[in-house]
């Protein structure tokens, strides 16, 4: 999925003052990871995450969130995208490895 979930979460936090979109991001990415594992389309898990990271960076650049300075302290908004998607990749890799070989 090339949907910029990371950007939406950061946008919600920075502009709407809500952390709820981080939770929604976790649920949606979790569903897509689960569905990809069930369909045995493991490369799509990581391809979608990579495209989501890139689209989040593009959306961030096009928005005013890049100028928020220290709001996301100790991170910039750009580095927060990398932290979010880095954590997502680690969690997805662990999930894929724990489900490797399981059928049904």
């Amino acid at each position: 999925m090339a949907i910029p979930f990371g950007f939406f979460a950061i946008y919600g936090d920075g502009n709407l003052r809500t952390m709820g979109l981080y939770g929604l991001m976790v649920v949606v990415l979790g569903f897509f990871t689960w569905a990809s594992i069930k369909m045995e389309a493991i490369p799509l898990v990581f391809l979608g995450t990579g495209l989501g990271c890139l689209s989040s960076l593009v959306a961030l650049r096009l928005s005013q969130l890049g100028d928020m300075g220290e709001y996301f302290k100790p991170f910039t908004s750009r580095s927060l995208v990398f932290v979010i998607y880095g954590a997502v990749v680690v969690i997805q890799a662990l999930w894929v490895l724990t489900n490797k070989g399981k059928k049904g």
Side-chain angles (χ1 to χ4, degrees), residues 78-102:
R78 184 171 182 245
S79 65
L80 185 57
V81 169
F82 288 113
V83 168
I84 288 171
Y85 281 101
V88 167
V89 166
V90 168
I91 292 167
Q92 287 175 331
L94 291 172
W95 195 350
V96 166
L97 290 173
T98 58
N99 283 295
K100 193 173 186 170
K102 291 183 182 178

Side-chain angles (χ1 to χ4, degrees), residues 54-65:
L54 288 175
S55 65
S56 289
L57 290 170
V58 169
L60 195 64
R61 186 171 185 104
L62 296 174
S63 74
Q64 299 301 317
L65 286 178

Side-chain angles (χ1 to χ4, degrees), residues 1-9 51-53 55-57 59 85:
M1 275 295 193
I3 299 172
F5 293 115
F7 168 75
F8 291 139
L51 290 174
C53 181
S55 65
S56 289
L57 290 170
Y85 281 101

Side-chain angles (χ1 to χ4, degrees), residues 7 9-10 16 22 24 31 37 55 65 73 77-79 84 87 95:
F7 168 75
I10 292 171
L16 305 175
Y22 289 107
L24 182 62
F31 171 75
I37 291 170
S55 65
L65 286 178
K73 199 174 186 178
S77 51
R78 184 171 182 245
S79 65
I84 288 171
W95 195 350

Side-chain angles (χ1 to χ4, degrees), residues 1-55:
M1 275 295 193
I3 299 172
F5 293 115
F7 168 75
F8 291 139
I10 292 171
Y11 178 85
D13 187 6
N15 286 348
L16 305 175
R17 306 290 190 245
T18 180
M19 300 289 285
L21 294 179
Y22 289 107
L24 182 62
M25 177 188 68
V26 169
V27 169
V28 172
L29 289 175
F31 171 75
F32 286 132
T33 302
W34 172 81
S36 295
I37 291 170
K38 280 294 199 189
M39 293 185 302
E40 298 179 4
I42 304 305
L44 292 181
V45 172
F46 302 106
L47 179 64
T49 301
L51 290 174
C53 181
L54 288 175
S55 65

